[in-house]
């Protein structure tokens, strides 16, 4: 059915064994000096071994002084780095996959403390509205130097034995800034007409070609559309313009085009939060594929093989994803073997990019994946041993921690009994999947159900974990992953009223709350999602209250932009700086920062003030076997903490 995905593709002298591309994904696993690390080697090799025909590295700086995006991204501005890159290339090539390095200069999206005088460089001195980093326009001679740096880095990629080089002309980095009329206002030969704006790319392509071999593949990654109109600016690269650029790149000797979108000011169109559907930007890849004769690689929130096939049927040669292959490096193998229902789905939660950005503060804070606890830890984790020998383990709770623990224990050959007191498995995922755009969490539940069905795991629904129930199983260990319950502070009077609901109660209410006046207290992600669901799907008027001075404290900005763009269309008021004092009847009283008290009436009030752990009861210490606490029961967190906690707990069972 998906055979076409596994046909080879020729890009100049490189024959890629199939059509799947692990797209560049900043991971910042490099050594501090920019050399490739063992973590890089194992990370990329895992994606090759899992079925990606072509694996492309993260951004690799051509200039560590003016062009580093992070203290730990790859750097290839000197020959001494070549051996580490060779090792990285060979690790992936040993899996049968082809390996490419993406070379880049961040321009004004660089990190000022890593730049000379703390100032980034750009074509015309226009700062990024997102970072606001100080920047200055490049002198003409400096542009020539940067061209030379790109060519030298490209030559080093070739010398390292990598199969191809990719020029990063996307996402608002320096080469993209030159291509974009929004950021390039130069009046020398590098600005003005479309051809002039592309002149820097022409010189780099020709320079690399001249100093490598005629067969060495040069791939150009570009932003097919900057989507500036989505943020109210009628400027920037559009698809029509990108088509013209790609025709020029082909003419100048590029061997393939890798189509992406967006820039830092339109980041949600580059790596998309939940609001964007799978396949939404396929038009970009298909349009460019129709305009050029060289192979086109395209990403478009590809999660399922159907979406990949749609791109291929639309003329695209190769299908790329970063996040799906981060979440499940074995995607390709699973699809080839007809086991696509076992794909661990990327849920577009943005935890990868959020954790990556945290590395700007702490270079050793790792990039993590919510659903794949092995992502980025490939070099730390030994393969799972099959040492369970049918011994029994009871897992209490079937939220993400419990399900992941059951999966790992099952793979280890334990016999697993999962006790879930609710009628459905999934824990908080069940109600978290209900608000608009959150259906991907259902994918996660289905994934676990399908994976566990093939393992020695029994899911017992509607069963309360008591000492007797557990003892009857005579387990060798218990994993307590019973989750958490909503916080209801005893200090606030009136919360015991039946008009006061927790988020799960509000979301699952039967009959649903429709057309009501609802007060939601607490604007963390859950509170906002409840507000969105009630207002957009159920016709409620919602007044959202938050104690601190901003709505959505602590929410990653891309997710915030995404959900607020939808919430803004609904009948919802936002009330930051309001502390809930009490509830009486159907009136809530809030105190503002200046001490003023205000009242809000409601049909229902939803209290979304966070969660507290469901601790293991005292009797568990008398079971006589190790009881390992995991997930929210250990410490309330998000899906990533729960899944990783469940995974680590299951590995720790002796
Ligand atoms: C955490 C993260 C890091 C990324 N780093 C890079 C990068 O180094 N270079 C690049 O060209 N694109 C980068 N991207 C963009 C991806 O290659 C890809 O185009 C984007 O994530 C959309 O595809 P996906 O939904 O399949 O992940 C990154 C995306 C994410 C989420």
């Amino acid at each position: 059915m998906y055979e076409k995905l596994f046909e080879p593709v020729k890009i100049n002298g490189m024959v890629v064994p199939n059509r799947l591309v692990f797209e560049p994904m900043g991971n910042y696993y490099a050594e501090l000096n920019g050399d490739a690390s063992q973590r890089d080697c194992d990370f990329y090799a895992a994606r090759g071994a899992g079925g990606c025909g072509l694996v492309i590295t993260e951004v690799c700086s051509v200039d560590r002084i003016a062009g580093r995006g992070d203290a730990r991204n790859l750097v290839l501005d000197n020959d001494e780095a070549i051996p580490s890159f060779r090792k990285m290339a060979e690790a992936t090539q040993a899996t049968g996959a082809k390996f490419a390095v993406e070379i880049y200069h961040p321009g004004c999206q660089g990190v000022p403390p890593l730049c000379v005088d703390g100032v980034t460089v750009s074509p015309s001195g226009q700062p990024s509205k997102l970072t606001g980093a100080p920047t200055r326009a490049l002198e003409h001679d400096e542009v020539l130097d940067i061209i030379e740096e790109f060519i030298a880095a490209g030559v080093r990629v070739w010398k390292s034995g990598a199969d191809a080089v990719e020029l990063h002309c996307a996402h608002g980095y320096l080469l993209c800034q030159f291509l974009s009329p929004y950021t390039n206002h130069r009046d020398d030969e590098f600005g003005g007409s479309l051809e002039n704006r592309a002149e820097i790319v022409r010189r780099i392509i020709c320079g690399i070609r001249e100093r490598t071999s005629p067969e060495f593949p040069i791939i150009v990654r570009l932003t097919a559309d900057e989507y500036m109109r989505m943020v109210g600016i009628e400027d920037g690269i559009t698809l029509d313009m990108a088509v013209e650029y790609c025709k020029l790149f082909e003419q100048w000797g590029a061997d393939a085009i890798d189509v992406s979108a967006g820039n830092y000011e339109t980041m949600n169109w580059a790596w998309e939060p939940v609001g964007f559907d799978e396949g939404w930007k396929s038009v970009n890849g298909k349009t460019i594929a129709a305009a050029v004769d060289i192979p086109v690689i395209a990403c478009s929130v590809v999660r399922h093989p159907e979406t990949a096939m749609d791109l291929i049927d639309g003329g695209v040669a190769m299908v790329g994803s970063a996040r799906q292959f981060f979440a499940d490096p074995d995607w390709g193998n699973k699809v080839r073997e007809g086991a696509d229902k076992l794909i661990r789905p990327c849920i577009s939660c943005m935890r990868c990019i959020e954790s990556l950005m945290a590395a700007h503060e702490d270079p050793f804070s790792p990039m993590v994946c919510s659903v794949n606890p092995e992502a980025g830890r490939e070099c730390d984790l030994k393969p799972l041993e099959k040492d369970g020998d049918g011994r029994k383990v009871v897992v209490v709770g079937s939220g993400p921690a419990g399900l992941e623990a059951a999966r790992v224990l099952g793979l280890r050959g334990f016999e697993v009994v999962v006790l879930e007191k609710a009628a459905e498995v999934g824990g908080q995922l069940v109600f978290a999947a209900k608000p608009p755009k959150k259906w991907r969490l259902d994918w996660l539940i289905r994934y676990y159900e399908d994976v566990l069905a093939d393992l020695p795991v029994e899911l017992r629904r509607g069963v309360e974990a008591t000492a007797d129930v557990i003892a009857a199983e005579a387990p060798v260990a218990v994993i307590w992953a019973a989750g958490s319950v909503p916080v209801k502070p005893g200090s606030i009077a009136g919360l015991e009223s039946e008009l006061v609901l927790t988020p799960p109660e509000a979301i699952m209410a039967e009959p649903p709350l429709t057309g009501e006046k609802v007060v939601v207290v607490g604007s963390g992600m859950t509170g906002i999602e409840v507000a969105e669901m009630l207002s957009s799907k159920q016709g409620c008027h919602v007044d959202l209250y938050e104690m601190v001075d901003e709505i959505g404290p602590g929410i990653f900005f891309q997710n915030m932009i995404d959900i607020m763009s939808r919430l803004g269309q609904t009948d919802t008021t936002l009330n930051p700086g309001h502390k809930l004092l009490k509830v009486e009847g159907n009136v809530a009283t809030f105190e503002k920062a200046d001490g003023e008290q205000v009242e809000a009436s409601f049909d229902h009030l939803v209290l979304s003030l966070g969660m507290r752990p469901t601790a293991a009861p005292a009797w568990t210490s008398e079971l006589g076997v190790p009881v390992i606490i995991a997930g929210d029961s250990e410490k309330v967190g998000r899906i990533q903490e729960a899944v990783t906690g469940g995974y680590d707990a299951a590995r720790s069972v002796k």
Side-chain angles (χ1 to χ4, degrees), residues 180-439:
S180 174
Y182 174 56
T183 40
N184 184 344
H185 310 293
R186 297 181 72 92
D187 52 15
D188 58 9
E189 73 267 35
F190 299 110
S193 67
L194 181 136
E195 282 80 1
N196 279 10
R197 293 197 304 269
E199 176 62 12
I200 187 168
V201 182
R202 185 187 74 77
R203 293 196 194 185
I204 296 169
I205 294 174
C206 295
I208 295 177
R209 172 69 64 234
E210 219 175 276
R211 287 163 52 186
T212 58
S213 90
E215 291 82 35
F216 185 57
I218 302 173
I219 306 170
V220 176
R221 184 162 221 216
L222 98 162
T223 275
D225 194 328
E226 283 187 290
Y227 292 105
M228 295 305 296
R229 60 194 174 281
M230 299 299 188
V231 292
I233 298 175
E234 291 298 329
D235 204 343
I237 300 169
T238 58
L239 182 54
D240 289 345
M241 202 182 287
V243 165
E244 295 312 310
Y245 280 135
C246 291
K247 288 183 188 163
L248 289 174
F249 299 154
E250 178 177 20
Q251 203 180 305
W252 295 335
D255 299 301
I257 305 288
D258 183 358
V259 180
S260 189
N263 64 33
Y264 268 32
E265 292 179 31
T266 54
M267 216 183 246
N268 278 15
W269 286 263
W271 31 91
E272 306 89 336
V274 293
F276 291 75
D277 292 344
E278 195 170 351
W280 76 275
K281 62 184 172 194
S282 300
V283 63
N284 295 338
K286 291 180 187 176
T287 305
I288 290 175
V292 295
D293 289 327
I294 49 179
V296 167
I297 305 166
C299 55
S300 186
V301 197
V302 174
R303 303 293 178 257
H304 293 92
E306 294 84 346
T307 315
M309 281 305 298
D310 174 65
L311 279 163
I312 301 293
D313 290 341
V316 165
M318 301 184 78
V319 179
S321 180
R323 288 176 292 173
Q324 181 53 60
F325 301 145
F326 186 52
D328 191 344
D330 298 321
W331 192 97
N333 290 348
K334 288 177 182 172
V335 173
R336 189 169 34 214
E337 288 155 15
D340 39 304
K341 67 177 191 171
L342 304 185
I343 290 170
R344 189 192 293 119
C346 165
I347 54 173
S348 297
C349 66
M350 312 303 279
R351 192 62 193 271
C352 51
I353 188 80
E354 183 181 2
S355 56
L356 186 74
M357 289 192 173
H360 292 318
E361 308 300 322
D362 170 6
F364 294 99
S365 114
M367 180 171 74
V368 294
C369 177
S370 285
V371 298
N372 179 3
E374 293 175 348
R377 298 204 287 169
E378 292 82 359
C379 76
D380 303 322
L381 296 167
K382 292 202 192 98
L384 288 177
E385 275 179 56
K386 191 121 183 137
D387 55 357
D389 298 325
R391 291 174 296 148
K392 196 172 262 187
V393 177
V394 169
V395 175
V396 178
S398 73
L403 292 175
E404 178 62 18
R407 184 186 74 87
V408 173
L409 290 164
L411 287 173
R412 287 185 57 193
F414 285 95
E415 195 185 322
V416 188
V417 174
V418 180
L419 302 177
E420 170 54 60
K421 71 172 178 209
E424 283 180 77
V425 298
Q428 289 180 53
L429 293 177
V430 174
F431 73 84
K434 304 290 181 216
K437 302 287 180 184
K438 295 301 295 291
W439 65 82

Side-chain angles (χ1 to χ4, degrees), residues 67-95:
R68 206 143 179 208
D70 186 81
R72 280 193 66 197
N73 67 253
L74 293 165
V75 185
L76 197 43
D77 64 356
N78 68 94
D79 287 352
E80 285 71 53
I82 293 175
S84 75
F85 278 69
R86 178 169 302 120
K87 197 173 156 208
M88 176 168 65
E90 286 172 353
T92 301
Q93 289 161 342
T95 68

Side-chain angles (χ1 to χ4, degrees), residues 427-481:
Q428 289 180 53
L429 293 177
V430 174
F431 73 84
K434 304 290 181 216
K437 302 287 180 184
K438 295 301 295 291
W439 65 82
R440 289 173 177 94
L441 296 182
D442 272 333
W443 295 352
L444 191 57
I445 302 174
R446 298 293 86 79
Y447 156 74
Y448 277 116
E449 285 183 330
D450 287 336
V451 166
L452 298 182
D454 289 342
L455 293 170
V457 175
E458 188 192 343
L459 294 173
R460 282 193 205 154
R461 299 165 175 86
V463 178
E464 183 94 35
T466 63
D468 289 345
V469 168
I470 294 177
E473 300 300 328
V476 295
V478 172
I479 294 190
W480 187 271

